């Protein structure tokens, strides 16, 4: 779980501006009209009154509603959530039933997912939409797993495509008011978004995960680790197995700890990291710790010289270089690399 630091994304102010413009031109006027239309009925029903009140609150925030991070928390309507979402695909929400009961004509356009219409954003226009957002964010590795690249590319016909999913941190099926909020969008790989992160699983059990725009494993000192004994045995004898585990500090505040555990569980990080990268770890440690000594012996033989420590250190430095800043450069397996190197005090 790595952090998305919006201050480090050069285009972020442009992204905000474009997103606000798009929202103003495509959504905001519909929102205002929905409020006007629904107000005519709101005195008929208390719940409808509450719904209109929420829409008005959102309208008051104007275009900043979709780009200001603090509104994510304000509009995280847990109490209201059950009322506006359907319990299954076949059923309809209480809100929809209410619209029907009040005989509101063409009522479906007033449902939250129709007002905050994510499909419209997915299609986008020539200036702004899902694709332009992913392109401008420039995030190249999935922040949830840090294993898979997410890539924007152009086809031979000039069509812009991406291998990234745009995950809604607060699922739009459960939090439709947040369906278009910029800080609710997390570019991620398909494995994390579609295979592991299931809306109902998380939020029914209130299993909140780490929020990449403000938290990370690094920040909470959560580390990958292997057993030193196991790995040394493996370096000597490859048939000896070893496992990658998570080390979670005990001092971590209970809520943060819960989010860390939920994240590991939700994205199956303990499973996908457990053994999948053992070859990578083994090769890395061999490249850094074993080969330089052998290489330097060979070089010294050729040069007919001494095996001076200075040469050995230089070759070691060169061998280490490709691994050193993987995490800082946000390359796949960056944190795993950093933690294992630290564990073996290789710097
Ligand atoms: Zn991922």
């Amino acid at each position: 779980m790595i952090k998305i630091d919006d201050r480090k994304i050069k285009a972020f102010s442009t992204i905000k501006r474009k997103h606000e413009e798009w929202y103003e031109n495509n959504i905001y006027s519909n929102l205002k009209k929905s409020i006007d239309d629904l107000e005519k009925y709101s005195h008929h029903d208390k719940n409808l009154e509450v719904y209109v009140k929420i829409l008005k609150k959102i309208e008051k925030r104007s275009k900043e509603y979709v780009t200001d991070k603090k509104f994510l928390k304000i509009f995280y309507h847990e109490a209201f959530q059950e009322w506006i979402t359907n319990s299954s695909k076949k059923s309809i929400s209480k809100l929809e039933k209410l619209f029907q009961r009040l005989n509101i004509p063409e009522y479906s356009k007033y449902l939250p997912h129709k007002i905050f219409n994510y499909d419209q954003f997915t299609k986008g226009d020539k200036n702004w939409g899902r694709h332009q957002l992913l392109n401008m964010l420039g995030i190249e590795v999935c922040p949830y797993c840090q294993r898979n690249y997410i890539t924007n590319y152009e086809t031979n016909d000039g069509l812009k495509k991406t291998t990234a999913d745009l995950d809604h941190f607060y699922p739009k099926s459960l939090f439709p008011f947040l369906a278009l909020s910029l800080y609710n969008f997390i570019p991620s790989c398909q494995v994390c978004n579609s295979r592991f992160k299931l809306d109902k699983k998380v939020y029914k059990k209130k299993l909140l995960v780490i929020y990449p725009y403000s938290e990370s494993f690094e920040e909470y000192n959560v580390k990958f680790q292997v057993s030193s004994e196991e790995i040394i045995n493996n370096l000597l004898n490859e048939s000896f197995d070893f496992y990658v585990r998570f080390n979670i500090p005990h001092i971590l505040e209970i809520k943060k700890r819960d989010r860390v555990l939920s994240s590991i569980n939700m994205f199956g990080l303990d499973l996908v990291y457990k053994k999948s990268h053992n070859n990578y770890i083994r090769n890395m440690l061999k490249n850094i710790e074993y080969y330089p000594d052998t290489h330097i012996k060979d070089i010294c033989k050729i040069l007919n010289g001494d095996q001076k420590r200075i040469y050995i250190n230089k070759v070691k430095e060169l061998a280490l270089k490709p691994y050193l800043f993987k995490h800082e450069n946000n390359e796949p397996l960056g944190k795993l690399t950093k933690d294992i190197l630290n564990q073996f005090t290789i710097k």
Side-chain angles (χ1 to χ4, degrees):
M1 300 290 292
I2 48 175
K3 196 168 185 167
I4 304 174
D5 191 344
D6 49 352
R7 290 161 312 174
K8 285 188 185 158
I9 299 173
K10 280 191 199 125
F12 212 80
S13 53
T14 317
I15 291 173
K16 274 191 169 176
R17 184 178 49 75
K18 280 179 171 267
H19 196 56
E20 285 177 354
E21 270 170 24
W22 177 87
Y23 175 74
E24 245 188 342
N25 296 333
N26 294 278
I27 307 294
Y28 193 63
S29 49
N30 277 346
L31 170 65
K32 283 180 113 170
K33 182 150 188 343
S34 304
I35 294 171
D36 289 345
D37 292 352
L38 288 175
E39 268 197 317
K40 293 174 206 151
Y41 300 88
S42 63
H43 59 276
H44 292 301
D45 188 277
K46 272 251 165 325
N47 284 321
L48 187 61
E49 222 173 279
V50 177
Y51 184 57
V52 173
K53 252 188 200 164
I54 292 174
L55 294 180
K56 276 184 159 176
K57 258 190 183 176
I58 294 173
E59 187 223 345
K60 227 172 116 187
R61 262 67 183 195
S62 170
K63 57 190 179 185
E64 268 133 52
Y65 170 66
V66 284
T67 55
D68 194 326
K69 207 196 278 185
K70 69 171 178 280
F71 294 143
L72 268 193
K73 276 259 179 277
I74 297 176
F75 290 94
Y76 176 90
H77 277 282
E78 214 163 326
F80 204 58
Q81 183 194 325
E82 280 198 7
W83 207 68
I84 49 176
T85 55
N86 25 330
S87 53
S88 74
K89 273 188 181 157
K90 281 180 192 159
S91 66
I92 61 170
S93 65
K94 287 181 185 168
L95 180 66
E96 195 164 349
K97 278 184 196 154
L98 175 66
F99 284 164
Q100 286 176 352
R101 187 161 56 77
L102 296 175
N103 281 325
I104 299 176
E106 294 176 78
Y107 68 82
S108 68
K109 63 183 176 198
Y110 305 124
L111 292 167
H113 68 277
K114 283 286 162 85
I115 299 176
F116 302 94
N117 193 334
Y118 181 68
D119 288 343
Q120 209 173 329
F121 181 66
T122 305
K123 281 187 214 119
D125 56 33
K126 63 179 189 321
N127 290 318
W128 194 240
R130 176 182 172 277
H131 189 81
Q132 284 95 331
L133 169 70
L134 283 167
N135 239 298
M136 283 185 85
L137 279 173
I139 293 168
E140 289 170 347
V141 176
C142 173
Y144 289 136
C145 66
Q146 210 195 18
R147 296 171 73 240
N148 299 319
Y149 279 112
I150 44 181
T151 314
N152 297 302
Y153 63 96
E154 216 172 299
T155 64
N156 292 337
D157 313 330
L159 282 175
K160 288 186 172 167
K161 300 243 171 178
T162 179
T163 63
D165 274 11
L166 195 55
D167 174 48
H168 283 83
F169 185 79
Y170 295 109
K172 63 180 185 312
S173 63
L174 303 175
F175 304 92
F177 296 126
L178 303 177
L180 296 170
S181 299
L182 186 60
Y183 282 97
N184 196 27
F185 294 148
I186 311 288
S188 73
C189 75
Q190 284 181 344
V191 179
C192 286
N193 186 38
S194 314
R195 203 158 305 162
F196 282 116
K197 190 166 179 265
L198 301 170
D199 299 355
K200 298 265 150 57
K201 192 169 120 193
V202 204
Y203 294 92
K204 281 259 151 104
K205 290 184 186 167
K206 298 205 169 44
L207 290 172
L208 274 185
V209 297
I210 294 266
Y211 175 52
Y213 270 107
S214 56
E215 304 171 291
S216 68
F217 278 1
E218 180 86 352
E219 197 171 315
Y220 295 156
N221 223 3
V222 176
K223 290 190 159 106
F224 290 103
Q225 69 169 33
V226 290
S227 128
S228 312
E229 199 182 320
E230 274 174 18
I231 196 124
I232 288 162
N233 279 330
N234 178 274
L235 288 168
L236 298 169
N237 171 12
E238 286 190 12
S239 61
F240 199 95
D241 247 342
F242 68 96
Y243 303 96
V244 174
R245 301 173 179 91
F246 280 97
N247 183 350
I248 306 164
H250 291 293
I251 45 156
L252 204 59
E253 196 185 299
I254 191 98
K255 278 190 174 171
K256 288 178 181 168
R257 195 181 163 79
D258 282 350
R259 288 207 293 282
V260 166
L261 289 169
S262 298
S263 307
I264 293 172
N265 180 30
M266 171 69 55
F267 297 106
L269 297 176
D270 48 347
L271 309 174
V272 293
Y273 272 97
K274 189 177 174 186
K275 282 181 77 178
S276 322
H277 306 296
N278 281 7
N279 271 338
Y280 169 80
I281 296 171
R282 182 189 306 117
N283 287 337
M284 171 172 80
L285 293 175
K286 276 191 170 174
N287 281 341
I288 295 166
E289 287 296 289
Y290 283 73
Y291 295 146
D293 287 343
T294 337
H295 289 334
I296 202 76
K297 274 178 199 157
D298 292 344
I299 294 166
C300 287
K301 254 186 219 162
I302 297 165
L303 295 174
N304 209 11
D306 298 331
Q307 291 181 31
K308 284 189 180 156
R309 196 70 221 164
I310 189 164
Y311 296 149
I312 299 180
N313 286 344
K314 190 75 204 159
V315 176
K316 280 198 169 182
E317 227 177 271
L318 287 173
L320 181 59
K321 226 175 176 180
Y323 300 103
L324 260 192
F325 297 107
K326 264 181 170 290
H327 189 48
E328 286 71 13
N329 295 337
N330 194 14
E331 290 174 38
L333 309 183
K335 180 146 171 62
L336 174 76
T337 308
K338 185 178 178 176
D339 291 347
I340 302 294
L341 289 180
N342 279 338
Q343 192 190 335
F344 291 92
T345 57
I346 302 169
K347 277 169 197 162

